[in-house]
Amino acid sequence: MSPLLPGLAGALIVAGLIGVAAGTRARPTPTPSPRRRRPRVVLALARVSPRTRALLLTGLGAGLVVAVVTGWLLAVLVGPALLAGLPALLRPPPVTATIDRLEAVEEWTRALAGVLVAGVGLEQAIMATARSVPEPIRPEVTRLLARLHARWATPAALRAFATDLGDATGDLVAAQLIMGATRRGQGLAAVLEALAESVASDVRGRRAVEADRAKPRATARWVTLITIVVLGVLGVSGTYVAPYGTGPGQVVLALLLSSYVATLAWMRAMTLTPPLPRILGEVGVSP
């Protein structure tokens, strides 16, 4: 018998024992490698609209050109802020859309009260107003009708309707309708008529306030435009702004521009009306 075979068998036995020992040995669970987080700037750009992103890139390109030609490095920051940020600060806040929704709620409530006077039920009255619903709240009323057709309980459908509206005034109307659907008593039409008159008064007051706020916004818009034109003319044709081309001058100019932008942001924040607290809580609704 050749001595090679016993040696090979012994080597295989030892290798098998080593393999069994290695297999039964507890191994630490490998920690997954952390995912690379995207930079915050990239995440912020992903959240903005394509139009704003295009304005930012255009302003950045224009700022780079100005910085190369004139040596004003501050233009790299001023360009995007001028094209994308300044119009957002000078644009009127979306108060008009809120007022239009309130006016639509008032019109629909008044129409609903007019149908209820004829003595029909609440569900039939809501369905009767389907064709005359004002456009700002048409999607919400359409979903309310769909839930009623799907055999939802009327109070549950009205609470979901209030959640869709997401407004304190809508909660008032929905609360009155829920009480009417629960008690099935008389007088709901008169209550809705009075509520519609209250909402109409609120709409008139908000429109008057918004008209008064539009005057200082228009003044700030014209002052800003005139200032930009004057600075542009002086920067091209005169030596008045030459000291701002130096390093300390760039810092001073950045502070002055930041203060002006902060003033515009403060003025815009003063014109934003916080939403009134709702009286009906959020409820889960089906899509």
Side-chain angles (χ1 to χ4, degrees):
M1 183 176 178
S2 174
L4 181 60
L5 293 177
L8 181 59
L12 291 175
I13 293 173
V14 173
L17 293 175
I18 294 175
V20 172
T24 56
R25 183 180 178 183
R27 295 183 179 180
T29 304
T31 57
S33 58
R35 297 178 60 185
R36 296 182 59 184
R37 298 183 62 183
R38 301 173 67 183
R40 293 184 178 180
V41 177
V42 177
L43 294 176
L45 287 176
R47 287 194 295 264
V48 300
S49 62
R51 179 177 178 274
T52 304
R53 196 179 305 124
L55 289 175
L56 287 173
L57 294 178
T58 303
L60 181 61
L64 288 173
V65 172
V66 174
V68 170
V69 174
T70 63
W72 285 41
L73 299 179
L74 188 61
V76 178
L77 299 178
V78 173
L82 186 64
L83 286 183
L86 199 59
L89 289 177
L90 296 177
R91 188 184 305 120
V95 180
T96 305
T98 303
I99 297 177
D100 291 341
R101 282 174 62 85
L102 287 178
E103 191 171 20
V105 170
E106 178 261 329
E107 292 179 6
W108 182 70
T109 305
R110 199 179 297 276
L112 193 60
V115 176
L116 287 172
V117 171
V120 299
L122 178 59
E123 293 80 5
Q124 289 76 17
I126 294 175
M127 295 176 184
T129 60
R131 296 183 179 180
S132 60
V133 177
E135 190 61 34
I137 62 170
R138 182 178 294 275
E140 290 81 2
V141 177
T142 302
R143 285 194 290 270
L144 172 61
L145 292 172
R147 293 183 182 112
L148 292 176
H149 284 299
R151 302 298 182 181
W152 278 42
T154 304
L158 290 171
R159 288 187 65 89
F161 171 66
T163 300
D164 291 338
L165 289 176
D167 183 78
T169 303
D171 283 355
L172 290 176
V173 175
Q176 294 296 334
L177 294 177
I178 290 173
M179 292 180 61
T182 303
R183 298 182 178 181
R184 299 293 178 177
Q186 300 295 324
L188 180 59
V191 172
L192 291 179
E193 188 68 32
L195 183 58
E197 187 61 34
S198 176
V199 175
S201 177
D202 185 20
V203 168
R204 289 192 296 268
R206 294 196 184 199
R207 290 197 185 279
V209 170
E210 184 60 24
D212 290 337
R213 288 175 175 176
K215 299 174 184 177
R217 277 201 298 266
T219 302
R221 190 179 300 114
W222 280 109
V223 169
T224 302
L225 293 177
I226 293 172
T227 302
I228 292 174
V229 172
V230 171
L231 290 179
V233 172
L234 291 177
V236 172
S237 61
T239 59
Y240 180 77
V241 295
Y244 293 108
T246 62
Q250 292 277 286
V251 175
V252 172
L253 182 60
L255 292 176
L256 293 175
L257 293 177
S258 300
S259 301
Y260 188 80
V261 171
T263 303
L264 291 179
W266 179 42
M267 185 185 71
R268 182 178 177 83
M270 291 176 62
T271 61
L272 296 177
T273 303
L276 296 175
R278 296 184 54 194
I279 62 175
L280 294 178
E282 296 282 342
V283 296
V285 296
S286 60

